[in-house]
Amino acid sequence: MSHSGKPELGLDGLSDRFRDSMSCEVNKPDFREIDLGSPVSPLRTRQSGLITTTTTSSSSSSSGSVSGRPGLGPAPRRSDAGQNSHSGELSGSSENSPTAGSGKTIRSFGSGPVRSESVSTYPTAYSGQSSVNSPPLNVLPTGNICPSGRILKTGMATSRTSRTDVLGSGTGNYGHGSIMRGGGSSVGPMKVEPVPTSSRGVYGHGGETARRAIAAVSDPEELKKAGNEHYKKGQFLEALGLYDKAISISPGNVAYRSNRAAALMGLGRMGEAVRECEVAVNLDPKYWRAHQRLASLFIRLGQVENARKHLYVYGQKPEPVELPKLQAVEKHLCKCADARKVGDWKSALREADATIAAGADFSPQLFMCRVEALLKLHQLEEAESSIKNVPKLASYIDSCAQTQFFGMLSEAYPMFVRAQMEMALGRFDAAVSAAERAGQIDAQNFEVSGFLRNVRLIARARARGNDLFKSERFTEACSAYGEGLKLDPSNSILYCNRAACWFKLGLWERSIEDCNHALHIQPNYWKALLRRAASNSKLERWADAVRDYEVLRRELPDDNEVAESLFHAQVALKKSLGEEVVNMQFGGDVEEVSSVEQFKAAISLPGVSVVHFKASASQQCKQMAAFLDTLCSRYPSINFLKVDIEECQAVASAENVRIVPTFKIYKNGNRVKEIICPSRDVLEHSVRHYSL
């Protein structure tokens, strides 16, 4: 310092000052001189030998520089200022000018005081706005606690603002998007430096996750790793999305393709998985993992030859799990084919189940083989249920197009079996369509072409028989249905239709015979059962008729025609056995009982009688009496009675009735149930139970 009391201007300091005063920031409307000091520095009184500088808020979140030091040498730049930054955000001034705020600062290189205009000398708490006034000496601005928990020293506080200025030049370890002014010595355009990755502290709380997420957007390996994590957790759909993104960036990477196939397998989309593996194999024929995955897929699809081809690719040793699985599937599949060829459908069904259990659990052909075996074994209901569980491949697999199942192309066999199912259910038009589809797929197969010809002939015979029946030409209709049965002797629909013709012709024995054939094929075929019961009634075989009608009554509880037929058959049976039948009628009103003799005669009638013991003054009895009228119409075969215990005390005393409403149910004169104050649902449930 000189004797004049003015600070000495060293050559180095003067050059730095001159260079700093000439530096400017881009994106500013004017080129005012810039103070590179701290955005928040204390106001200092002028002292001898010092130049006091007043700074206002500017757009630096981490410069950490200090102004107002003794001497005119350049203030040292703190390279570690950014080490404590942890915001992870872009920040900057909300004004265009670096000196925007409550005042302007003009720097001077000469002697004399520094003049500041419109600068507040009162301490102001730091709020992160566009301007922050510096507090007095030794007053710490608020909001400047660094991540380590220490309070920044006076003059080192930073200001968080809202607009970006100049991105860091890389001279310090600044966080993502941190800003500093003029980190280099040269004046130039804004420079964007890469985000450093060496330290977690650079990114602050959650910064590492954010960095990885940003990097993963363009890094297919990161996308693959993230997809693998989802796959391990069973989140196949999320894994698939990430693999798709990786493939979009690097479509030629076979590992991504193979992983995508694994995710598709987890989602049950086997057809797509096969296609994806085939793409991977075409990209790199020596990629062993894709071959092994493809072999595993073909085992699940029951495609033994295709699986073997990929399992032993390029002399590689197959995986120890897949080889025994392939051998077991092949063994049971061969046994299934042999049993089907000789018509041993029980063995075919057993071996098909064994093949599925061995590993071919996504083979439509094997599931359809189960359906075919069940149809041949006359288990129509189970076959109909099984066909709903057949796996569905969303897309056609080219590599499986020429694979054969049971001597026909693999894609033709499911349609071949479906046509049989439609025929058994009486949907002849749908059967023809399915058979034609099988013929289009495998036109050269003898079994398929012969079956298609038969299906067309059977459908034609059935349609002709129906037309003749409507024209009341019953004999010709019998012949038409017979022609269809020659081609398909296991068709229960044709047997039942011909039985209807025999019934109309008065040939009830022959009608019963055809109904028996139909019921042997389809035991729960209620139309055949109804026609057999009617034929037995015509032949006055009342016991057989009652047995069939009782079964129908259980199957069709709301059918009045069946209920009435059952009633008349029961009455006829009693008469045939010599039993006395008095005052029996079907579907009458609720009978009012006025004496003990009338009561005993009524409950002694064959069948079921329901007696309502009531009191005229009881509101609940009135409601139940109205409901009893409804039950009388619903269950016409039941004899409903009502007894007023006040008017007919003898009956009430004989039956020991003390609480009303009380219901008693009698069957053939014997009491079988007593219900006291029941709900409507309970009463109807009991009535329905004994009506059957």
mmCIF file with all atom_site columns, all heavy atoms in Angstrom, residues 583-597:
data_model
loop_
_atom_site.group_PDB
_atom_site.id
_atom_site.type_symbol
_atom_site.label_atom_id
_atom_site.label_alt_id
_atom_site.label_comp_id
_atom_site.label_asym_id
_atom_site.label_entity_id
_atom_site.label_seq_id
_atom_site.pdbx_PDB_ins_code
_atom_site.Cartn_x
_atom_site.Cartn_y
_atom_site.Cartn_z
_atom_site.occupancy
_atom_site.B_iso_or_equiv
_atom_site.pdbx_formal_charge
_atom_site.auth_seq_id
_atom_site.auth_comp_id
_atom_site.auth_asym_id
_atom_site.auth_atom_id
_atom_site.pdbx_PDB_model_num
ATOM 1   N N   . ASN A 1 583 ? -110.968 -87.411 -5.440  1.00 0.00 ? 583 ASN A N   1
ATOM 2   C CA  . ASN A 1 583 ? -110.933 -85.940 -5.481  1.00 0.00 ? 583 ASN A CA  1
ATOM 3   C C   . ASN A 1 583 ? -109.534 -85.401 -5.798  1.00 0.00 ? 583 ASN A C   1
ATOM 4   O O   . ASN A 1 583 ? -109.059 -84.463 -5.168  1.00 0.00 ? 583 ASN A O   1
ATOM 5   C CB  . ASN A 1 583 ? -111.424 -85.371 -4.148  1.00 0.00 ? 583 ASN A CB  1
ATOM 6   C CG  . ASN A 1 583 ? -111.783 -83.882 -4.263  1.00 0.00 ? 583 ASN A CG  1
ATOM 7   O OD1 . ASN A 1 583 ? -112.111 -83.421 -5.359  1.00 0.00 ? 583 ASN A OD1 1
ATOM 8   N ND2 . ASN A 1 583 ? -111.737 -83.178 -3.146  1.00 0.00 ? 583 ASN A ND2 1
ATOM 9   N N   . MET A 1 584 ? -108.840 -86.014 -6.731  1.00 0.00 ? 584 MET A N   1
ATOM 10  C CA  . MET A 1 584 ? -107.509 -85.532 -7.129  1.00 0.00 ? 584 MET A CA  1
ATOM 11  C C   . MET A 1 584 ? -107.653 -84.692 -8.391  1.00 0.00 ? 584 MET A C   1
ATOM 12  O O   . MET A 1 584 ? -108.246 -85.130 -9.379  1.00 0.00 ? 584 MET A O   1
ATOM 13  C CB  . MET A 1 584 ? -106.563 -86.709 -7.395  1.00 0.00 ? 584 MET A CB  1
ATOM 14  C CG  . MET A 1 584 ? -106.127 -87.432 -6.146  1.00 0.00 ? 584 MET A CG  1
ATOM 15  S SD  . MET A 1 584 ? -104.771 -88.563 -6.474  1.00 0.00 ? 584 MET A SD  1
ATOM 16  C CE  . MET A 1 584 ? -103.434 -87.442 -6.820  1.00 0.00 ? 584 MET A CE  1
ATOM 17  N N   . GLN A 1 585 ? -107.154 -83.485 -8.337  1.00 0.00 ? 585 GLN A N   1
ATOM 18  C CA  . GLN A 1 585 ? -107.182 -82.604 -9.501  1.00 0.00 ? 585 GLN A CA  1
ATOM 19  C C   . GLN A 1 585 ? -105.884 -81.809 -9.571  1.00 0.00 ? 585 GLN A C   1
ATOM 20  O O   . GLN A 1 585 ? -105.240 -81.555 -8.557  1.00 0.00 ? 585 GLN A O   1
ATOM 21  C CB  . GLN A 1 585 ? -108.376 -81.648 -9.429  1.00 0.00 ? 585 GLN A CB  1
ATOM 22  C CG  . GLN A 1 585 ? -108.399 -80.769 -8.189  1.00 0.00 ? 585 GLN A CG  1
ATOM 23  C CD  . GLN A 1 585 ? -109.608 -79.863 -8.160  1.00 0.00 ? 585 GLN A CD  1
ATOM 24  O OE1 . GLN A 1 585 ? -110.387 -79.849 -9.101  1.00 0.00 ? 585 GLN A OE1 1
ATOM 25  N NE2 . GLN A 1 585 ? -109.759 -79.109 -7.085  1.00 0.00 ? 585 GLN A NE2 1
ATOM 26  N N   . PHE A 1 586 ? -105.522 -81.443 -10.766 1.00 0.00 ? 586 PHE A N   1
ATOM 27  C CA  . PHE A 1 586 ? -104.242 -80.738 -10.988 1.00 0.00 ? 586 PHE A CA  1
ATOM 28  C C   . PHE A 1 586 ? -104.474 -79.230 -11.042 1.00 0.00 ? 586 PHE A C   1
ATOM 29  O O   . PHE A 1 586 ? -105.349 -78.746 -11.757 1.00 0.00 ? 586 PHE A O   1
ATOM 30  C CB  . PHE A 1 586 ? -103.601 -81.206 -12.297 1.00 0.00 ? 586 PHE A CB  1
ATOM 31  C CG  . PHE A 1 586 ? -102.334 -80.457 -12.641 1.00 0.00 ? 586 PHE A CG  1
ATOM 32  C CD1 . PHE A 1 586 ? -101.145 -80.760 -12.014 1.00 0.00 ? 586 PHE A CD1 1
ATOM 33  C CD2 . PHE A 1 586 ? -102.345 -79.434 -13.580 1.00 0.00 ? 586 PHE A CD2 1
ATOM 34  C CE1 . PHE A 1 586 ? -99.985  -80.083 -12.328 1.00 0.00 ? 586 PHE A CE1 1
ATOM 35  C CE2 . PHE A 1 586 ? -101.196 -78.749 -13.899 1.00 0.00 ? 586 PHE A CE2 1
ATOM 36  C CZ  . PHE A 1 586 ? -100.006 -79.070 -13.270 1.00 0.00 ? 586 PHE A CZ  1
ATOM 37  N N   . GLY A 1 587 ? -103.687 -78.512 -10.293 1.00 0.00 ? 587 GLY A N   1
ATOM 38  C CA  . GLY A 1 587 ? -103.705 -77.054 -10.380 1.00 0.00 ? 587 GLY A CA  1
ATOM 39  C C   . GLY A 1 587 ? -104.943 -76.416 -9.822  1.00 0.00 ? 587 GLY A C   1
ATOM 40  O O   . GLY A 1 587 ? -105.357 -75.356 -10.267 1.00 0.00 ? 587 GLY A O   1
ATOM 41  N N   . GLY A 1 588 ? -105.592 -77.014 -8.782  1.00 0.00 ? 588 GLY A N   1
ATOM 42  C CA  . GLY A 1 588 ? -106.767 -76.403 -8.187  1.00 0.00 ? 588 GLY A CA  1
ATOM 43  C C   . GLY A 1 588 ? -106.410 -75.288 -7.224  1.00 0.00 ? 588 GLY A C   1
ATOM 44  O O   . GLY A 1 588 ? -105.244 -75.013 -6.958  1.00 0.00 ? 588 GLY A O   1
ATOM 45  N N   . ASP A 1 589 ? -107.431 -74.654 -6.653  1.00 0.00 ? 589 ASP A N   1
ATOM 46  C CA  . ASP A 1 589 ? -107.209 -73.613 -5.662  1.00 0.00 ? 589 ASP A CA  1
ATOM 47  C C   . ASP A 1 589 ? -106.847 -74.243 -4.323  1.00 0.00 ? 589 ASP A C   1
ATOM 48  O O   . ASP A 1 589 ? -106.937 -75.459 -4.125  1.00 0.00 ? 589 ASP A O   1
ATOM 49  C CB  . ASP A 1 589 ? -108.476 -72.762 -5.506  1.00 0.00 ? 589 ASP A CB  1
ATOM 50  C CG  . ASP A 1 589 ? -108.803 -72.013 -6.794  1.00 0.00 ? 589 ASP A CG  1
ATOM 51  O OD1 . ASP A 1 589 ? -107.857 -71.703 -7.544  1.00 0.00 ? 589 ASP A OD1 1
ATOM 52  O OD2 . ASP A 1 589 ? -110.001 -71.782 -7.053  1.00 0.00 ? 589 ASP A OD2 1
ATOM 53  N N   . VAL A 1 590 ? -106.420 -73.361 -3.383  1.00 0.00 ? 590 VAL A N   1
ATOM 54  C CA  . VAL A 1 590 ? -106.118 -73.841 -2.046  1.00 0.00 ? 590 VAL A CA  1
ATOM 55  C C   . VAL A 1 590 ? -107.429 -74.289 -1.394  1.00 0.00 ? 590 VAL A C   1
ATOM 56  O O   . VAL A 1 590 ? -108.400 -73.529 -1.309  1.00 0.00 ? 590 VAL A O   1
ATOM 57  C CB  . VAL A 1 590 ? -105.450 -72.734 -1.201  1.00 0.00 ? 590 VAL A CB  1
ATOM 58  C CG1 . VAL A 1 590 ? -105.155 -73.256 0.204   1.00 0.00 ? 590 VAL A CG1 1
ATOM 59  C CG2 . VAL A 1 590 ? -104.170 -72.265 -1.880  1.00 0.00 ? 590 VAL A CG2 1
ATOM 60  N N   . GLU A 1 591 ? -107.445 -75.519 -0.953  1.00 0.00 ? 591 GLU A N   1
ATOM 61  C CA  . GLU A 1 591 ? -108.671 -76.103 -0.402  1.00 0.00 ? 591 GLU A CA  1
ATOM 62  C C   . GLU A 1 591 ? -108.848 -75.718 1.066   1.00 0.00 ? 591 GLU A C   1
ATOM 63  O O   . GLU A 1 591 ? -107.904 -75.841 1.861   1.00 0.00 ? 591 GLU A O   1
ATOM 64  C CB  . GLU A 1 591 ? -108.622 -77.628 -0.544  1.00 0.00 ? 591 GLU A CB  1
ATOM 65  C CG  . GLU A 1 591 ? -109.860 -78.332 -0.046  1.00 0.00 ? 591 GLU A CG  1
ATOM 66  C CD  . GLU A 1 591 ? -109.753 -79.839 -0.174  1.00 0.00 ? 591 GLU A CD  1
ATOM 67  O OE1 . GLU A 1 591 ? -108.734 -80.299 -0.756  1.00 0.00 ? 591 GLU A OE1 1
ATOM 68  O OE2 . GLU A 1 591 ? -110.653 -80.547 0.312   1.00 0.00 ? 591 GLU A OE2 1
ATOM 69  N N   . GLU A 1 592 ? -110.046 -75.263 1.431   1.00 0.00 ? 592 GLU A N   1
ATOM 70  C CA  . GLU A 1 592 ? -110.363 -74.902 2.816   1.00 0.00 ? 592 GLU A CA  1
ATOM 71  C C   . GLU A 1 592 ? -110.822 -76.157 3.564   1.00 0.00 ? 592 GLU A C   1
ATOM 72  O O   . GLU A 1 592 ? -111.742 -76.865 3.120   1.00 0.00 ? 592 GLU A O   1
ATOM 73  C CB  . GLU A 1 592 ? -111.479 -73.855 2.853   1.00 0.00 ? 592 GLU A CB  1
ATOM 74  C CG  . GLU A 1 592 ? -111.830 -73.386 4.247   1.00 0.00 ? 592 GLU A CG  1
ATOM 75  C CD  . GLU A 1 592 ? -110.850 -72.372 4.802   1.00 0.00 ? 592 GLU A CD  1
ATOM 76  O OE1 . GLU A 1 592 ? -110.303 -71.575 4.007   1.00 0.00 ? 592 GLU A OE1 1
ATOM 77  O OE2 . GLU A 1 592 ? -110.614 -72.379 6.021   1.00 0.00 ? 592 GLU A OE2 1
ATOM 78  N N   . VAL A 1 593 ? -110.207 -76.461 4.707   1.00 0.00 ? 593 VAL A N   1
ATOM 79  C CA  . VAL A 1 593 ? -110.529 -77.644 5.513   1.00 0.00 ? 593 VAL A CA  1
ATOM 80  C C   . VAL A 1 593 ? -111.402 -77.216 6.694   1.00 0.00 ? 593 VAL A C   1
ATOM 81  O O   . VAL A 1 593 ? -111.050 -76.269 7.421   1.00 0.00 ? 593 VAL A O   1
ATOM 82  C CB  . VAL A 1 593 ? -109.256 -78.342 6.013   1.00 0.00 ? 593 VAL A CB  1
ATOM 83  C CG1 . VAL A 1 593 ? -109.607 -79.497 6.944   1.00 0.00 ? 593 VAL A CG1 1
ATOM 84  C CG2 . VAL A 1 593 ? -108.434 -78.836 4.836   1.00 0.00 ? 593 VAL A CG2 1
ATOM 85  N N   . SER A 1 594 ? -112.522 -77.923 6.887   1.00 0.00 ? 594 SER A N   1
ATOM 86  C CA  . SER A 1 594 ? -113.447 -77.551 7.968   1.00 0.00 ? 594 SER A CA  1
ATOM 87  C C   . SER A 1 594 ? -113.720 -78.667 8.954   1.00 0.00 ? 594 SER A C   1
ATOM 88  O O   . SER A 1 594 ? -114.434 -78.469 9.941   1.00 0.00 ? 594 SER A O   1
ATOM 89  C CB  . SER A 1 594 ? -114.790 -77.084 7.372   1.00 0.00 ? 594 SER A CB  1
ATOM 90  O OG  . SER A 1 594 ? -115.348 -78.110 6.557   1.00 0.00 ? 594 SER A OG  1
ATOM 91  N N   . SER A 1 595 ? -113.157 -79.861 8.709   1.00 0.00 ? 595 SER A N   1
ATOM 92  C CA  . SER A 1 595 ? -113.385 -80.973 9.633   1.00 0.00 ? 595 SER A CA  1
ATOM 93  C C   . SER A 1 595 ? -112.177 -81.898 9.653   1.00 0.00 ? 595 SER A C   1
ATOM 94  O O   . SER A 1 595 ? -111.346 -81.890 8.739   1.00 0.00 ? 595 SER A O   1
ATOM 95  C CB  . SER A 1 595 ? -114.632 -81.767 9.226   1.00 0.00 ? 595 SER A CB  1
ATOM 96  O OG  . SER A 1 595 ? -114.421 -82.405 7.987   1.00 0.00 ? 595 SER A OG  1
ATOM 97  N N   . VAL A 1 596 ? -112.140 -82.703 10.714  1.00 0.00 ? 596 VAL A N   1
ATOM 98  C CA  . VAL A 1 596 ? -111.036 -83.650 10.844  1.00 0.00 ? 596 VAL A CA  1
ATOM 99  C C   . VAL A 1 596 ? -111.098 -84.690 9.740   1.00 0.00 ? 596 VAL A C   1
ATOM 100 O O   . VAL A 1 596 ? -110.067 -85.094 9.180   1.00 0.00 ? 596 VAL A O   1
ATOM 101 C CB  . VAL A 1 596 ? -111.085 -84.312 12.237  1.00 0.00 ? 596 VAL A CB  1
ATOM 102 C CG1 . VAL A 1 596 ? -110.011 -85.391 12.344  1.00 0.00 ? 596 VAL A CG1 1
ATOM 103 C CG2 . VAL A 1 596 ? -110.916 -83.292 13.337  1.00 0.00 ? 596 VAL A CG2 1
ATOM 104 N N   . GLU A 1 597 ? -112.292 -85.158 9.400   1.00 0.00 ? 597 GLU A N   1
ATOM 105 C CA  . GLU A 1 597 ? -112.433 -86.168 8.354   1.00 0.00 ? 597 GLU A CA  1
ATOM 106 C C   . GLU A 1 597 ? -111.941 -85.637 7.007   1.00 0.00 ? 597 GLU A C   1
ATOM 107 O O   . GLU A 1 597 ? -111.240 -86.341 6.265   1.00 0.00 ? 597 GLU A O   1
ATOM 108 C CB  . GLU A 1 597 ? -113.894 -86.603 8.237   1.00 0.00 ? 597 GLU A CB  1
ATOM 109 C CG  . GLU A 1 597 ? -114.417 -87.385 9.427   1.00 0.00 ? 597 GLU A CG  1
ATOM 110 C CD  . GLU A 1 597 ? -114.699 -86.488 10.627  1.00 0.00 ? 597 GLU A CD  1
ATOM 111 O OE1 . GLU A 1 597 ? -114.735 -85.235 10.442  1.00 0.00 ? 597 GLU A OE1 1
ATOM 112 O OE2 . GLU A 1 597 ? -114.855 -87.017 11.747  1.00 0.00 ? 597 GLU A OE2 1
#
